[in-house]
Amino acid sequence: MSTRPPVRDRGPAIVFEQVTKRYDGVSAVDALSMSIDAGTFVALVGTSGSGKSTLMRMINRLDQPDQGCVRLDGCDVQQEDVIKLRRSIGYVFQNVGLFPHMTIAENIAIPRRIAGAEPVDIGAALERVGLPADFAGRLPAQLSGGQQQRVGIARALAGQASYLLMDEPFGALDPVTRDQLGHTCRRLHDELGLTTILVTHDMAEALLLADRVIVLARGRIVGDATPREMLAGKVGTEADAMMAVPRAQAARLAELGG
């Protein structure tokens, strides 16, 4: 059961104010404004080059806007101490980035060690993401891709983050493992009361996991709705076009099953 307060009671946690980011004169994000309420699980969806990853990376200052402002809990992230800022944010990406020469326990412990905080309970951290405690002494190369990604999630949350940013974290995994990890992240989001942003090109994944789906194209928002509203086709032409693939897949499966 979720322990998080109702979304409507917690207010905006992340706010983009007329944010623009350009690369070689081309806008990856174009005068974009939006707010994300605390406790919400948001999926950013769009084709390659739509601005999804750039938008998310500006939250933890891996990128910075050319114009506009990104606020976290009301504060301009560009004015915050970057180390302190990133301690409040868990970041998970497709290539995991585990240190190959360190044990699983050492990898998970890094955020707390850097912060000078009390050591994390490695056994509890592994159990949280569905891994046995005896994995602690293994090296990353001894784990499957899905297991390594679970360790990456455990590491992202080890610093007691309030925010979880995930940039195509399941893209290199097989469909079964991808589905399992998606549900693990949704469970952790609910249990820990996180504010989560998932970047994905998979509309079906977004619909199944998120509270809110934001569709990007050319660095702008072309759709912003709940999964139910997306399925109803009431969002807009470009957003509705993203629904064509999962709809066709569902229709084909129904045909095969019938």
Side-chain angles (χ1 to χ4, degrees):
M1 180 180 294
S2 172
T3 58
R4 61 176 174 160
V7 169
R8 63 180 178 277
D9 294 339
R10 295 177 61 182
I14 304 170
V15 177
F16 292 83
E17 299 175 352
Q18 289 293 302
V19 171
T20 295
K21 177 65 180 179
R22 301 183 186 90
Y23 296 105
D24 298 324
V26 178
S27 292
V29 175
D30 187 10
L32 185 147
S33 294
M34 71 171 180
S35 65
I36 295 173
D37 284 344
T40 308
F41 192 125
V42 172
L44 300 181
V45 184
T47 57
S48 296
S50 61
K52 307 183 298 297
S53 295
T54 300
L55 190 67
M56 190 177 72
R57 286 164 59 90
M58 286 191 284
I59 298 171
N60 63 353
R61 291 180 58 182
L62 290 174
D63 278 325
Q64 60 183 21
D66 294 315
Q67 294 175 309
C69 175
V70 181
R71 298 188 184 277
L72 195 70
D73 291 328
C75 300
D76 182 346
V77 298
Q78 294 298 319
Q79 304 302 316
E80 293 291 296
D81 177 81
V82 69
I83 296 176
K84 181 180 178 181
L85 172 73
R86 290 175 182 169
R87 285 176 187 166
S88 68
I89 300 171
Y91 189 66
V92 182
F93 45 96
Q94 182 172 324
N95 294 327
V96 189
L98 301 180
F99 294 100
H101 61 288
M102 293 184 177
T103 66
I104 298 307
E106 290 169 337
N107 269 281
I108 293 173
I110 285 174
R112 297 290 288 273
R113 191 180 73 185
I114 292 175
E118 293 183 4
V120 64
D121 184 334
I122 300 298
L126 288 169
E127 181 182 3
R128 178 181 286 169
V129 296
L131 293 175
D134 63 9
F135 274 35
R138 299 188 185 187
L139 293 173
Q142 296 174 292
L143 275 59
S144 69
Q147 290 168 339
Q148 288 185 35
Q149 194 59 279
R150 288 181 185 273
V151 174
I153 295 166
R155 181 180 61 183
L157 298 176
Q160 298 182 323
S162 301
Y163 300 89
L164 181 60
L165 307 182
M166 299 188 290
D167 193 354
E168 297 279 8
F170 317 130
L173 303 175
D174 66 85
V176 173
T177 302
R178 181 172 185 147
D179 182 67
Q180 292 171 342
L181 270 174
H183 286 292
T184 294
C185 289
R186 178 70 219 203
R187 172 179 58 80
L188 291 171
H189 167 88
D190 291 335
E191 290 178 356
L192 301 176
L194 302 171
T195 303
T196 301
I197 300 178
L198 169 67
V199 167
T200 180
H201 65 275
D202 188 329
M203 178 59 87
E205 184 172 75
L207 295 171
L208 291 169
L209 295 178
D211 304 314
R212 176 182 175 192
V213 180
I214 297 173
V215 182
L216 298 176
R218 303 173 300 282
R220 298 180 179 180
I221 296 173
V222 296
D224 184 352
T226 66
R228 187 178 297 275
E229 290 166 339
M230 284 281 177
L231 287 166
K234 300 177 180 179
V235 182
T237 303
E238 290 186 87
D240 197 46
M242 292 289 297
M243 293 293 300
V245 172
R247 283 198 179 106
Q249 290 172 333
R252 179 59 176 156
L253 287 171
E255 180 184 333
L256 291 171

